[in-house]
Amino acid sequence: MDADEPISRSAIEAVRGARCVLFAYHEMGRACLDALIALGAPIAALYTHRDASDEEIWWRSCAELARDHAIPVHLPDKIGTDEIAQIAALRPAIIYSFYYRNMLPIELIALAPLGAYNLHGSLLPKYRGRAPVNWMLVNGEREAGATLHHMVERADAGDIVAQRAVEITEDDTALTLYRKIVPIGAELIRRYHPLIASGEAPRRAQDLAQGSYFGRRRPEDGRIDWGWPARRIFNLVRAVTHPYPGAFGFLNGRKVYVWAAKIASETGTRRAAGEVVAEQIDGTIEVAAGEGSVILSRVQIEGCAETSPREMLQTFRLGSLTPGSVSSDNDTVARAAATRTIRFD
């Protein structure tokens, strides 16, 4: 059976006879769970995470969808011997991991006679590891994708079943790119789960030497170096803007988040890196980079509301660190106001 052909009767029977256990979280987890439900796959249990209080939760709940379909839901802090014994008792034919945040033990992976599979948000072997969407944007990639692959002891290193690519455009942020990848991930499950269930799925080894591995990104990795080229600054801003922690610099000792930016120029060095080159009537400002310049359109002084860059600069020029507050002992602000030069650190 070809993956693009309609599902045959024998494949439908194979799907209905292959019990699955899922480890899933986030929007990708929800979309892939939904795809398996639509196929009629028997899902014995869902293992997922509790939402963290310090995250901006924008995705739909896997647990909610599972409960709507009478699928037992488990939320362990980790997968230990008790959980492995619990899953072994379910006798899964297939195990899936869809954006589950913990590595699954090899003893667990071995429980599924038809295989254990992960859905990863990159074109493996490129961007193995954590936060592939963010890293692809940070690095200025032009193509992203999703890969369905066998799980092994090493992260994202197992044989590939299938993958699909998607274009990264100049307008993409981490959120918009993630939303492009989710439907192609779900489509891989719709197309290839029947082949997995019937033991007919394609399989090819990864050449890890041709790929790359990236670790988890931390909030502090959002620090802007204004000496970078304009495109590198732009890529960082769009890679970590909402719902992620944000790119940031410092102005007169205060942290300033940059939530939206675009490239004004990629060549030349008109001013010192970080210096405000121009203020626009639309509220944006142009800031010099190490090469070229960027236009900032949404910013936020830490602890304050988001605002336009122009309004933010007005508060600094008036000697205010926040709208409505006054600071009389900030010599840096006073000098900047006198010279009409403001520079980000």
Side-chain angles (χ1 to χ4, degrees):
M1 164 184 168
D2 187 270
D4 294 323
E5 294 178 357
I7 300 174
S8 66
R9 182 178 296 276
S10 61
I12 291 172
E13 291 174 355
V15 166
R16 290 174 178 170
R19 184 191 297 259
C20 302
V21 168
L22 271 58
F23 293 80
Y25 189 61
H26 222 277
E27 187 67 17
M28 182 68 85
R30 167 91 180 211
C32 292
L33 170 59
D34 200 23
L36 286 173
I37 291 170
L39 285 169
I43 301 170
L46 168 71
Y47 289 77
T48 188
H49 303 289
R50 294 178 176 84
D51 293 334
S53 59
D54 60 347
E55 285 192 75
E56 186 176 333
I57 306 299
W58 57 268
W59 54 87
R60 298 174 298 165
S61 169
C62 292
E64 181 181 273
L65 179 61
R67 292 184 181 115
D68 287 345
H69 290 270
I71 298 169
V73 175
H74 304 276
L75 298 102
D77 293 329
K78 65 177 183 178
I79 304 299
T81 55
D82 290 345
E83 287 75 23
I84 293 173
Q86 182 182 54
I87 294 161
L90 296 173
R91 300 175 63 85
I94 301 168
I95 290 173
Y96 280 119
S97 177
F98 304 135
Y99 278 48
Y100 192 71
R101 290 178 167 177
N102 300 333
M103 288 282 291
L104 300 186
I106 193 68
E107 299 87 352
L108 174 59
I109 291 170
L111 293 176
L114 290 178
Y117 304 84
N118 179 55
L119 198 289
H120 186 71
S122 79
L123 295 173
L124 293 176
K126 295 180 179 179
Y127 293 93
R128 296 169 49 237
R130 301 281 189 168
V133 165
N134 308 89
W135 280 115
M136 284 186 280
L137 289 173
V138 165
N139 293 334
E141 298 289 353
R142 296 295 184 180
E143 186 178 57
T147 303
L148 180 62
H149 68 95
H150 289 259
M151 280 191 281
V152 293
E153 192 167 11
R154 193 174 177 185
D156 307 319
D159 293 352
I160 291 172
V161 175
Q163 54 190 182
R164 295 283 187 272
V166 66
E167 180 186 9
I168 300 175
T169 68
E170 198 83 348
D171 296 331
D172 274 320
T173 66
L175 181 59
T176 64
L177 182 55
Y178 188 97
R179 285 177 168 159
K180 286 181 178 180
I181 292 173
V182 166
I184 65 174
E187 179 62 18
L188 287 174
I189 297 304
R190 279 191 292 271
R191 294 292 188 182
Y192 286 91
H193 176 69
L195 296 176
I196 289 171
S198 58
E200 300 173 354
R203 181 170 186 165
R204 62 181 174 87
Q206 293 191 55
D207 182 356
L208 299 184
Q210 300 302 312
S212 53
Y213 181 90
F214 290 86
R216 184 192 300 272
R217 289 192 61 82
R218 305 162 299 170
E220 54 266 36
D221 294 329
R223 174 72 185 266
I224 298 169
D225 182 338
W226 299 97
W228 288 340
R231 180 159 293 276
R232 185 172 177 183
I233 294 172
F234 164 71
N235 284 336
L236 176 63
V237 171
R238 66 189 184 132
V240 296
T241 192
H242 295 304
Y244 295 94
F248 63 91
F250 289 87
L251 189 59
N252 299 325
R254 289 293 297 270
K255 181 184 279 190
V256 176
Y257 290 97
V258 179
W259 294 114
K262 64 181 180 180
I263 297 170
S265 170
E266 293 196 63
T267 59
T269 52
R270 294 167 56 191
R271 301 277 184 86
E275 188 172 314
V276 176
V277 174
E279 299 176 46
Q280 310 296 336
I281 194 169
D282 63 358
T284 63
I285 61 174
E286 183 180 355
V287 180
E291 185 174 358
S293 60
V294 292
I295 292 175
L296 313 186
S297 55
R298 294 298 295 175
V299 296
Q300 181 181 12
I301 302 170
E302 187 174 39
C304 304
E306 284 186 43
T307 186
S308 72
R310 188 180 183 189
E311 181 179 347
M312 178 193 68
L313 292 188
Q314 287 173 350
T315 69
F316 278 98
R317 285 201 173 100
L318 292 172
S320 306
L321 291 180
T322 61
S325 70
V326 177
S327 173
S328 59
D329 60 352
N330 195 316
D331 292 336
T332 305
V333 172
R335 287 196 299 273
T339 62
R340 304 193 65 79
T341 298
I342 293 182
R343 183 176 175 182
F344 287 88
D345 296 325

